Amino acid sequence: MAAAASQPYVHKGRHRILGAFAGLFAFVALLGAIARMLPESLQSLPYVPVVVSVTPWFTLLAALALMLALVARCWGVALLALVLIGVQIWWQTPFFRPGESLPAGANNAVSSVRPNTDDAYARVMTMNVYKGHADARTIVNLVRDQHIEVLALQETTDAFIAALKAAGLGDYLPYSQVSSSDGVYGNGLWSASPLGNPVDDEVDSSASFMPGGTVQFNGSKTAIRFVSVHTTSPKPGMWEQWRRSQDELGMMRTRTDAHYVFMGDFNATTDHTAFRNFLGTRFRDAAQEAGHGFTFTWPQNRPHIPAFAGIDHVVLDQGITAGQVTVAHVPGSDHAALLATIAVR
């Protein structure tokens, strides 16, 4: 009889433990959701940008909290977890819901041996090469195999640029604009067709020189201004500088004298308020536009840690659509390459 009587107490004890874990997981997921909803000024508080960068992963914590809460019959915690899951689905659904599709001719146009630089389509690629440590040969192979017409690279060095040339990048992308604000690390653009009006810094950013150049589409009827982007990384002591560089990039919304495609390491995900403010009602993120799922690009150089943050982007102006958005691993870098096909109306 004593053993039988002890069973309810054992179950209650287990339920309390499971309920405690459910409450803890739900609380952490709630903090993550709150961080994502903060205004830009508060998201630059210490470590908040880092927390926001992993926003989609709080869905797993909320789901775990929901399961544990149901087993423990903690209905309040279960309801909170369910709400948090719903909020996350609302935020992340655009990555899985395609927007405007690429025209039917886009696939054929970007798969020919030699890209047609006079049409309305282009395969583009961006990558942070990690202070020149990325493997130059792999990048050139990607350019060749993926029929890249416009390439943006960040954190280049003189030695790395030389390695790209030695690997034959000029055979595919003979036109370039590379600039450096400190004389050591730079950002660059390469193109299969001439870069019109190239400049060292299109954005006038405190973070780095962000070179720009114009590429002609549709038989020179449509001009698109490409920019290689690299904002300040959110690190201890650099929180305000990170927000400042995001705000400076956001000023590009007022530049109506050109249509833009921004490609690079934004050091922000679509969950950061500053990045969403940059997009505004004018610009769109290519990964969301394509609706193929998440494109996590960082980190790529940690064997036991999968890439968990999408801080590299291709951002499109109005009148430009995107599809075929993928990532590719390149040895030597902490970032993956991000590739997309764009169509210009």
Side-chain angles (χ1 to χ4, degrees):
M1 291 295 292
S6 68
Q7 290 300 316
Y9 294 103
V10 172
H11 289 306
K12 287 182 179 179
R14 289 176 180 172
H15 282 181
R16 288 194 190 99
I17 294 173
L18 293 177
F21 276 108
L24 175 62
F25 294 152
F27 178 69
V28 174
L30 176 62
L31 291 180
I34 291 173
R36 201 267 190 190
M37 292 185 289
L38 290 175
E40 181 178 341
S41 59
L42 294 180
Q43 277 195 355
S44 61
L45 291 173
Y47 298 101
V48 174
V50 179
V51 173
V52 175
S53 68
V54 296
T55 291
W57 299 98
F58 287 112
T59 311
L60 300 180
L61 273 183
L64 184 56
L66 175 61
M67 290 186 292
L68 294 177
L70 291 175
V71 172
R73 298 182 181 180
C74 297
W75 309 121
V77 175
L79 179 60
L80 173 61
L82 191 61
V83 169
L84 291 172
I85 292 171
V87 169
Q88 289 284 359
I89 291 174
W90 173 263
W91 287 337
Q92 309 306 333
T93 292
F95 283 102
F96 300 90
R97 185 178 59 209
E100 184 179 352
S101 300
L102 286 172
N107 291 343
N108 292 334
V110 299
S111 60
S112 58
V113 177
R114 281 290 180 181
N116 179 5
T117 59
D118 209 35
D119 61 11
Y121 314 109
R123 189 80 168 140
V124 301
M125 172 176 148
T126 183
M127 183 183 177
N128 183 317
V129 299
Y130 193 37
K131 300 179 180 179
H133 290 122
D135 184 69
R137 170 60 64 182
T138 301
I139 291 174
V140 174
N141 289 344
L142 277 172
V143 168
R144 180 197 63 208
D145 297 341
Q146 292 289 325
H147 312 288
I148 301 299
E149 291 186 45
V150 184
L151 170 69
L153 299 177
Q154 301 82 47
E155 290 193 13
T156 61
T157 63
D158 289 344
F160 179 76
I161 300 299
L164 287 176
K165 292 180 179 178
L169 182 62
D171 295 337
Y172 308 100
L173 306 176
Y175 305 96
S176 64
Q177 175 68 24
V178 182
S179 57
S180 173
S181 58
D182 62 6
V184 179
Y185 303 116
N187 305 315
L189 280 173
W190 287 260
S191 175
S193 56
L195 284 172
N197 189 26
V199 297
D200 282 335
D201 187 7
E202 184 80 10
V203 179
D204 191 23
S205 173
S206 59
S208 64
F209 281 178
M210 302 185 191
T214 300
V215 175
Q216 301 291 334
F217 289 83
N218 292 317
S220 298
K221 296 177 181 177
T222 308
I224 301 298
R225 191 85 178 151
F226 284 83
V227 182
S228 181
V229 172
H230 192 197
T231 61
T232 301
S233 177
K235 296 178 181 178
M238 302 293 289
W239 311 113
E240 285 300 324
Q241 290 90 330
W242 168 78
R243 181 164 70 94
R244 177 183 175 186
S245 69
Q246 299 293 329
D247 289 343
E248 291 164 344
L249 192 60
M251 293 299 295
M252 296 300 293
R253 292 194 313 274
T254 64
R255 294 275 295 272
T256 58
D257 56 331
H259 283 79
Y260 283 97
V261 172
F262 300 93
M263 305 195 300
D265 177 6
F266 288 72
N267 276 306
T269 72
T270 54
D271 292 305
H272 287 98
T273 304
F275 183 79
R276 297 196 305 276
N277 288 345
F278 158 62
L279 295 178
T281 58
R282 176 178 175 179
F283 301 126
R284 290 167 297 163
D285 180 75
Q288 288 189 332
E289 173 81 6
H292 299 322
F294 294 123
T295 52
F296 297 137
T297 55
W298 187 90
Q300 286 286 325
N301 60 342
R302 302 179 186 180
H304 305 296
I305 301 177
F308 58 76
I311 60 176
D312 298 272
H313 303 272
V314 173
V315 173
L316 313 170
D317 210 331
Q318 296 176 4
I320 306 171
T321 56
Q324 301 175 331
V325 180
T326 59
V327 297
H329 175 69
V330 175
S333 179
D334 57 342
H335 288 248
L338 180 66
L339 303 89
T341 299
I342 64 171
V344 178
R345 289 200 293 271

